[in-house]
Amino acid sequence: MTEIEAGAGTAGSSPKVESGRVPLRVAVLISGSGSNLQALIDAQRAGRLSAEIAVVISNRSDAYGLERARRALIPTQVLSHRGFPSREAYDAELAALLDRHAPGLVTLAGFMRILTPELVARWQGRMLNIHPSLLPKYRGLHTHERALAAGEPIHGATVHFVTPELDDGPAIVQAQVPVHPDDDAERLAARVLTQEHRIYPLAVRWIAEGRLALGDDGLAYLDDEPLAQPVVIDAEP
Ligand code: GAR
């Protein structure tokens, strides 16, 4: 099993640090509003998440999440994808930037880029993503529109370990929301986003507490039990 080490630096090389003694260093990658980043900051401040957000990295200099990070006195980095000759070249630079901040966990929080298999492999078991659908349904973009078009009665969001296939890694926790008859994509997205803010801090917390890991068998393990299905959190009434 891939151990997630609190306070650890590069991949798998450090001895395991007893969880709870050294806060897990988390890098948060964003491209936009950063409301999920804010949820992590808020959880940390409220004492619900014992982790240190070591750096916020955005591929867009106008991402509002950068402002959220600055307000919270979190170091920020902008690494624009423009000007790189290839996805591989960008991801190599991103990998180097991540290494400089030595996170134990990388969280994708609305980072709207497809990652190369090399980068994903480097962070295997130590990279999480949040996706606005009940995976495996609706990988990719426009999830709310597609859920509405399909007449889904239930929609939601998923936190999962990142693997090379897009939005395909083992699911950890999902939040379900009802789809209302008068929903449009915007209203549904807002309802899902509220739930994202509950499940992302929860999953990061499980990692920080040493309770969650990706097994060599490709399954997510919570409290040493394989998750055949993700943990499902019902929407608050
Ligand atoms: C969130 O809804 C997140 O699930 C989605 O982008 C939004 C970012 O919002 N991510 C993806 O679609 C990735 N495939 P935020 O910037 O306010 O956290």
Side-chain angles (χ1 to χ4, degrees):
M1 187 176 298
T2 308
E3 299 281 5
I4 307 245
E5 299 166 18
T10 48
S13 55
S14 310
K16 184 167 164 54
V17 178
E18 197 179 307
S19 65
R21 278 185 27 210
V22 180
L24 177 73
R25 286 171 63 81
V26 180
V28 184
L29 273 53
I30 63 166
S31 298
S33 160
S35 70
N36 277 291
L37 162 67
Q38 190 68 53
L40 294 172
I41 294 169
D42 292 348
Q44 185 197 35
R45 287 195 173 147
R48 284 182 284 115
L49 176 59
S50 176
E52 176 192 350
I53 302 177
V55 65
V56 170
I57 300 173
S58 174
N59 64 316
R60 297 181 55 113
S61 60
D62 60 351
Y64 181 64
L66 289 167
E67 180 59 29
R68 297 181 192 269
R70 287 185 202 110
R71 277 193 217 148
L73 305 178
I74 297 166
T76 60
Q77 298 276 341
V78 175
L79 183 63
S80 172
H81 51 279
R82 296 186 196 286
F84 281 88
S86 65
R87 193 172 290 282
E88 286 69 25
Y90 179 84
D91 278 11
E93 193 61 36
L94 179 57
L97 182 58
L98 283 170
D99 282 350
R100 284 205 286 283
H101 290 273
L105 177 71
V106 177
T107 56
L108 310 180
F111 188 61
M112 303 307 278
R113 285 189 57 81
I114 294 172
L115 302 178
T116 55
E118 291 74 22
L119 184 68
V120 172
R122 200 180 168 106
W123 289 93
Q124 169 100 353
R126 301 187 301 138
M127 184 182 273
L128 300 182
N129 182 41
I130 187 153
H131 182 76
S133 77
L134 295 174
L135 291 173
K137 287 185 173 178
Y138 310 117
R139 298 183 175 114
L141 298 174
H142 309 302
T143 58
H144 310 301
E145 288 85 347
R146 288 154 63 205
L148 284 172
E152 297 282 1
I154 303 281
H155 185 45
T158 306
V159 179
H160 64 95
F161 281 109
V162 176
T163 56
E165 297 301 317
L166 181 69
D167 300 329
D168 192 43
I172 298 159
V173 56
Q174 292 185 325
Q176 297 186 345
V177 303
V179 180
H180 297 162
D182 61 343
D183 267 343
D184 58 18
E186 203 176 323
R187 270 196 293 268
L188 183 56
R191 195 173 315 119
V192 170
L193 194 60
T194 302
Q195 300 306 314
E196 293 184 34
H197 301 160
R198 296 172 68 207
I199 59 175
Y200 217 178
L202 184 61
V204 175
R205 177 186 180 150
W206 286 339
I207 298 248
E209 292 175 346
R211 296 176 54 192
L212 174 66
L214 180 66
D216 294 335
D217 54 6
L219 296 174
Y221 280 74
L222 181 62
D223 296 331
D224 296 323
E225 293 293 331
L227 286 177
Q229 302 290 333
V231 175
V232 177
I233 307 278
D234 286 329
E236 283 161 343

